[in-house]
C-alpha cells in the first residue's frame, strides 16, 4: 500500500473523503489537501496513468489492508475435515441425526469424512450404508474419493458444494 509521500507520480486522479471525484491534481496539491483534512492520501492502483488516489481517514487504509490480508490468509487455509463415525447396524433416527450433522458441517464449509466401523463380514452392509448417505447428501456435498474398504472400516470423504 502506497501512502502520502511514498507516491512518486507528478499528477494523481483524486477522489475525496465522501467518494466525490476531484479530478486530476498535482501530487503536492493532493498531499496539501490530505494534510488540511488530517487524512491520508492512498494510491489504489499503479497500473494507470495518472494513478487513482483516495483521501482516507488516518488508520482506516491500514485497517482495510490488514483485513484484506487476513481474508486472503483465511482462504489459503486447507479444508478442515470433520469425521462422522457410524456403524452398519444404525437405527433410522440415529441415521437422520448423523445426516443432519453432515449437512450442517458441509454448509459451514468443512469437508466430512464418513467412517463406518466394521467387524467380520459387515463390509457390503457398510458400503451400502455409505452409498445411501452419499445419495442423501448429494444436495449439499459431493464425494472426493470413492468408498474405501480397508480392514476394520469403510470410509469416504465428502466435500461441500
Amino acid at each position: 500500500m502506497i501512502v502520502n509521500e511514498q507516491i512518486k507520480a507528478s499528477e494523481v486522479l483524486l477522489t475525496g473523503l465522501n467518494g466525490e471525484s476531484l479530478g486530476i491534481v498535482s501530487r503536492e496539491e493532493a498531499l496539501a489537501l490530505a494534510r488540511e483534512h488530517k487524512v491520508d492520501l492512498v494510491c489504489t492502483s499503479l497500473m494507470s496513468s495518472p494513478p487513482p488516489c483516495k483521501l482516507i481517514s488516518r488508520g482506516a487504509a491500514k485497517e482495510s489492508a490488514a483485513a484484506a490480508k487476513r481474508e486472503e490468509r483465511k482462504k489459503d487455509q486447507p479444508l478442515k475435515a470433520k469425521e462422522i463415525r457410524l456403524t452398519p447396524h444404525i437405527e433410522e433416527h440415529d441415521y437422520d441425526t448423523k445426516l443432519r450433522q453432515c449437512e450442517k458441517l458441509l454448509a459451514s464449509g468443512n469437508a466430512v469424512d464418513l467412517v463406518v466401523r466394521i467387524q467380520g463380514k459387515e463390509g457390503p452392509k457398510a458400503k451400502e450404508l455409505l452409498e445411501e448417505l452419499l445419495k442423501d447428501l448429494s444436495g449439499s456435498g459431493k464425494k472426493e474419493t470413492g468408498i474405501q474398504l480397508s480392514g476394520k472400516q469403510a470410509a469416504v470423504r465428502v466435500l461441500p458444494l
Side-chain angles (χ1 to χ4, degrees):
M1 181 171 62
I2 301 168
V3 292
N4 299 334
E5 279 73 26
Q6 295 175 342
I7 299 170
K8 300 293 181 204
S10 58
E11 289 183 329
V12 296
L13 180 61
L14 190 60
T15 305
L17 283 167
N18 300 322
E20 72 277 5
S21 177
L22 301 175
I24 297 173
V25 295
S26 69
R27 174 180 168 259
E28 288 72 28
E29 193 177 331
L31 286 170
L33 265 172
R35 277 189 225 103
E36 182 184 313
H37 293 292
K38 292 187 171 79
V39 294
D40 286 326
L41 179 67
V42 179
C43 184
T44 55
S45 171
L46 294 173
M47 296 301 150
S48 59
S49 181
C53 294
K54 287 182 180 179
L55 294 175
I56 301 178
S57 63
R58 292 196 191 276
K62 203 176 216 181
E63 185 61 39
S64 69
K69 204 171 189 180
R70 271 195 305 274
E71 280 298 313
E72 190 64 36
R73 207 168 323 130
K74 201 175 190 180
K75 286 180 182 163
D76 288 346
Q77 292 291 321
L79 217 57
K80 283 200 170 83
K82 304 287 184 174
E83 186 175 291
I84 301 286
R85 291 184 183 166
L86 308 141
T87 59
H89 309 290
I90 190 167
E91 300 274 330
E92 188 63 37
H93 170 72
D94 296 334
Y95 177 84
D96 294 338
T97 303
K98 295 290 185 179
L99 184 65
R100 275 197 313 275
Q101 270 185 320
C102 290
E103 286 171 342
K104 191 175 172 184
L105 287 169
L106 289 168
S108 67
N110 293 312
V112 176
D113 286 332
L114 298 170
V115 177
V116 179
R117 300 275 178 209
I118 45 182
Q119 299 169 342
K121 297 180 179 172
E122 295 175 335
K125 194 167 183 182
K127 189 172 182 175
E128 195 177 294
L129 174 68
L130 285 176
E131 286 170 351
E132 187 180 342
L133 253 172
L134 286 171
K135 189 180 71 168
D136 291 342
L137 286 172
S138 64
S140 51
K142 62 180 187 301
K143 67 179 181 177
E144 177 188 29
T145 61
I147 296 173
Q148 298 156 344
L149 283 164
S150 58
K152 296 186 187 246
Q153 70 180 22
V156 65
R157 175 171 282 187
V158 183
L159 298 176
L161 290 177

